[in-house]
């Protein structure tokens, strides 16, 4: 069963799509949101395979949210559901899986679900196959990329932090940054790479910088002042 979120500023539109998805018997709607900010907050609590996303909404558009999601390691699939056909080209520029025009027809929705399933299967396979070699206690270990919270530079080497341990890597932070490109990692500081999907709290501190709190990590990660703006954009803040 696919897990989905519906993001639309109009409650009747959310209800109608929710009903249609229930009728397919293939999708469980785990959350609904009325705007982009609400969607970002709910994504932290309700991970999903796909977001059915309106485009024209107050404050921030669906296109902006879809663009921000691309910074995640494995972003949910995005299917735009809109009353306007003229945004289709822009939608596929942000890697949308499909583009549905309201009112949504059942056959067309089923076609989108087939595409979503293919997308989810491919990304699940990639997620389990990608690992980084590290050292611990004199042994070589392979750590899955999705388990890494952050990477910290130490001279010409680096440390990788997971939810349970810290591992030594003979590869430099710069080399690891290239290796992790496209997996949702962001260079927040000259000494740190952070897994954006693990960010739980962003704290403003003196001097215009930030501190990040990550899932299952006590240490707070500093953000350099020159990276603050780009980070906020990446997180959709």
């Amino acid at each position: 069963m696919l897990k989905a979120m519906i993001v639309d500023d109009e409650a009747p539109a959310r209800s109608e799509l929710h009903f249609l998805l229930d009728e397919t018997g293939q999708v469980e709607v785990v959350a609904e949101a009325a705007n982009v900010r609400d969607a970002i907050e709910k994504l932290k609590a309700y991970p999903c395979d796909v977001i059915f996303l309106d485009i024209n909404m107050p404050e921030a558009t669906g296109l902006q949210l879809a663009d921000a999601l691309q910074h995640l390691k494995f972003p949910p699939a995005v299917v735009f559901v809109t009353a306007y056909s003229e945004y289709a080209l822009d939608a596929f520029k942000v890697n949308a899986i499909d583009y549905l025009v309201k009112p949504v027809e059942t056959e067309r929705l089923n076609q989108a679900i087939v595409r979503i399933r293919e997308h989810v299967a491919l990304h699940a396979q990639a997620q389990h196959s990608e690992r980084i070699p590290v050292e611990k206690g004199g042994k070589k270990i392979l750590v899955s990329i999705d388990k890494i919270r952050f990477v910290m530079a130490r001279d010409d080497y680096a440390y990788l932090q997971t939810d349970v341990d810290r591992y030594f890597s003979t590869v430099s932070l710069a080399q690891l940054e290239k290796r992790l490109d496209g997996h949702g990692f962001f260079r927040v500081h000259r000494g740190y790479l952070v897994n954006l999907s693990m960010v739980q709290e962003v704290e403003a501190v003196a001097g215009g910088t930030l501190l990040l709190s990550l899932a299952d990590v006590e240490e707070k990660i500093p953000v350099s002042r020159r990276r603050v703006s780009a980070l906020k954009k990446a997180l959709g803040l």
Side-chain angles (χ1 to χ4, degrees), residues 50-70:
V50 57
I51 297 179
F52 290 90
L53 181 58
D54 191 17
I55 288 181
N56 286 328
M57 291 182 288
E59 298 182 8
T61 69
L63 289 168
Q64 289 173 308
L65 174 58
D67 183 50
L69 290 174
Q70 300 311 303

Side-chain angles (χ1 to χ4, degrees), residues 6-214:
I6 298 172
V7 184
D8 196 311
D9 60 318
E10 297 182 357
R14 295 198 304 272
S15 297
E16 174 66 16
L17 184 55
H18 196 146
F19 172 78
L20 291 174
L21 290 170
D22 284 345
E23 286 291 292
T24 69
Q26 302 180 67
V27 181
E28 177 189 1
V29 178
V30 296
E32 294 184 12
N35 54 61
V36 169
R37 185 176 294 275
D38 189 24
I40 291 171
E41 287 300 315
K42 287 186 176 176
L43 267 176
K44 298 174 184 177
Y46 303 99
C48 58
D49 301 304
V50 57
I51 297 179
F52 290 90
L53 181 58
D54 191 17
I55 288 181
N56 286 328
M57 291 182 288
E59 298 182 8
T61 69
L63 289 168
Q64 289 173 308
L65 174 58
D67 183 50
L69 290 174
Q70 300 311 303
H71 294 282
L72 298 178
K73 174 173 66 273
F74 291 103
V78 170
V79 174
F80 283 106
V81 185
T82 176
Y84 307 96
S85 60
E86 60 264 31
Y87 295 108
L89 182 59
D90 292 329
F92 291 111
K93 286 180 180 178
V94 291
N95 297 322
I97 298 299
D98 212 333
Y99 189 96
L100 306 179
V101 178
K102 300 175 184 177
V104 178
E105 298 178 355
T106 301
E107 181 180 351
R108 188 67 185 81
L109 182 60
N110 284 328
Q111 292 174 359
I113 290 172
V114 170
R115 293 181 181 180
I116 296 163
R117 287 195 174 281
E118 292 173 351
H119 172 89
V120 170
L122 285 172
H123 280 255
Q125 181 180 359
Q127 184 174 5
H128 286 97
S129 64
E130 302 241 24
R131 297 183 293 178
I132 299 288
V134 294
E135 296 181 9
K136 183 72 175 180
K139 298 180 180 179
K140 290 284 188 180
I141 301 171
L142 292 173
V143 174
S144 296
I145 288 176
D146 63 300
K147 300 294 184 184
I148 302 169
R149 267 50 178 176
F150 67 86
V151 182
M152 177 176 62
R154 278 295 178 268
D155 299 322
D156 294 330
Y157 306 107
Y159 287 98
L160 282 68
Q161 179 71 46
T162 68
D163 58 335
V164 295
D165 217 334
R166 180 169 292 184
Y167 301 94
F168 176 73
S169 171
T170 56
V171 178
S172 71
L173 185 67
Q175 291 173 300
L176 285 170
E177 183 176 13
K178 293 179 181 178
R179 176 71 177 82
L180 295 170
D181 183 40
H183 292 274
F185 284 78
F186 189 90
R187 187 75 169 261
V188 298
H189 185 281
R190 60 186 177 86
Y192 288 93
L193 273 175
V194 167
N195 185 340
L196 291 182
S197 68
M198 297 296 173
V199 176
Q200 291 189 326
E201 184 177 313
V202 180
E203 177 186 351
V205 294
T209 61
L210 303 172
L211 286 176
L212 303 180
S213 296
L214 309 182

Side-chain angles (χ1 to χ4, degrees), residues 212-223:
L212 303 180
S213 296
L214 309 182
D216 305 310
V217 176
E218 291 185 9
E219 181 178 348
K220 292 190 176 183
I221 308 302
V223 180

